[in-house]
Amino acid sequence: MGKYDALREEACAANLEIAKLQLAILTWGNASAFDKAAGVFAIKPSGLDYSELSPESMVVVDLEGKVVEGGLRPSSDTKTHLVLYRSFEGIRGVCHSHSAHAVAWAQARRSIPCLGTTHADQTAGDIPCTAMISAEALAKDYELGTGELIVETFKGKKPLEVPMVIVAGHGPFTWGKTAMDAVHYAAALEEVARMAILTYQVTPAASPLPEHVMRKHYERKHGASAYYGQPK
């Protein structure tokens, strides 16, 4: 038994959920689970097919990027995950997927406007798209720079109210209070991205949802007086 068995199991389950929900194909995408008290996170190994994943194959990394448990090379996106864990208080899971409709928005370099209540149920406002990473940041450390770009985009925003971002030219990153939450936000983001594309196909001049309707839908599910779902 290893010191971080539970964390590795959580990360493995989240990564298998990426495949189950068809958020990535081949070896694309990754998810991680964070233990704040220990200052480490478990993440998918680089380049492994989802069918090959097991809790034992997960790699445990500290917030300096050093492998502390596991025999495989961690995901190439590891440094992006660690920047988010360092910067966004309260998150315990991160997911990077390659779902087609969300990536389409990334390639168009456009934020996803809140056009309807399905979107508002997930996040309070537009899903932001970052600027394109600079040549200097890319040359210095691409994955670290990607994380810093996301953090810069979220200045003045609450990451747990808007638990998702589109990285320009690249794709979506999502996060949550658990690794599985992060993956489920990735699934919600993909569906919202698809709906927005369909909406603009029907009506290219579609307007964002009025603020009062957006806030109502977000607050009834996530607010202090939320009444969606069952009492805990």
Side-chain angles (χ1 to χ4, degrees):
M1 297 290 287
K3 183 176 180 181
Y4 301 110
D5 283 354
L7 194 66
R8 293 167 92 169
E9 288 173 5
E10 181 184 357
C12 183
N15 279 286
L16 292 176
E17 190 79 352
I18 292 175
K20 177 183 174 182
L21 296 175
Q22 300 182 321
L23 297 174
I25 62 171
L26 303 175
T27 62
W28 305 353
N30 45 76
S32 65
F34 180 44
D35 181 335
K36 183 180 181 182
V40 300
F41 60 96
I43 192 166
K44 179 180 179 284
S46 181
L48 248 65
D49 190 90
Y50 287 92
S51 65
E52 300 178 63
L53 297 184
S54 67
E56 293 74 25
S57 68
M58 298 296 111
V59 187
V60 181
V61 183
D62 68 18
L63 291 180
E64 299 303 318
K66 178 183 176 183
V67 173
V68 298
E69 192 173 278
L72 298 174
R73 180 184 295 172
S75 167
S76 57
D77 293 305
T78 294
K79 288 184 180 179
T80 305
H81 289 240
L82 75 81
V83 170
L84 299 181
Y85 288 131
R86 284 178 186 170
S87 305
F88 290 168
E89 184 63 35
I91 72 169
R92 299 291 181 269
V94 172
C95 176
H96 172 47
S97 61
H98 285 263
S99 57
H101 296 89
V103 169
W105 286 89
Q107 293 178 169
R109 306 183 195 179
R110 287 188 58 186
S111 299
I112 305 177
C114 184
L115 298 173
T117 61
T118 306
H119 180 138
D121 282 341
Q122 309 306 319
T123 179
D126 294 356
I127 299 165
C129 181
T130 70
M132 181 59 68
I133 192 168
S134 69
E136 294 76 17
L138 186 148
K140 182 179 179 182
D141 191 319
Y142 173 53
E143 291 79 18
L144 194 75
T146 298
E148 291 171 345
L149 189 62
I150 294 170
V151 172
E152 177 69 23
T153 301
F154 271 73
K155 281 187 176 178
K157 295 181 173 67
K158 296 179 180 179
L160 286 175
E161 279 199 6
V162 187
M164 49 189 71
V165 70
I166 301 289
V167 176
H170 186 29
F173 281 83
T174 55
W175 47 84
K177 294 180 179 179
T178 68
M180 196 65 79
D181 282 350
V183 175
H184 289 165
Y185 276 124
L189 169 55
E190 170 60 14
E191 188 66 3
V192 165
R194 186 180 73 89
M195 290 177 175
I197 290 170
L198 291 173
T199 300
Y200 283 127
Q201 287 176 350
V202 173
T203 306
S207 299
L209 193 68
E211 176 76 14
H212 65 284
V213 181
M214 182 193 74
R215 290 308 311 182
K216 175 63 178 179
H217 269 262
Y218 180 80
E219 294 295 337
R220 75 173 189 169
K221 193 167 185 178
H222 304 283
S225 301
Y227 55 91
Y228 175 88
Q230 300 303 312
K232 295 182 180 179

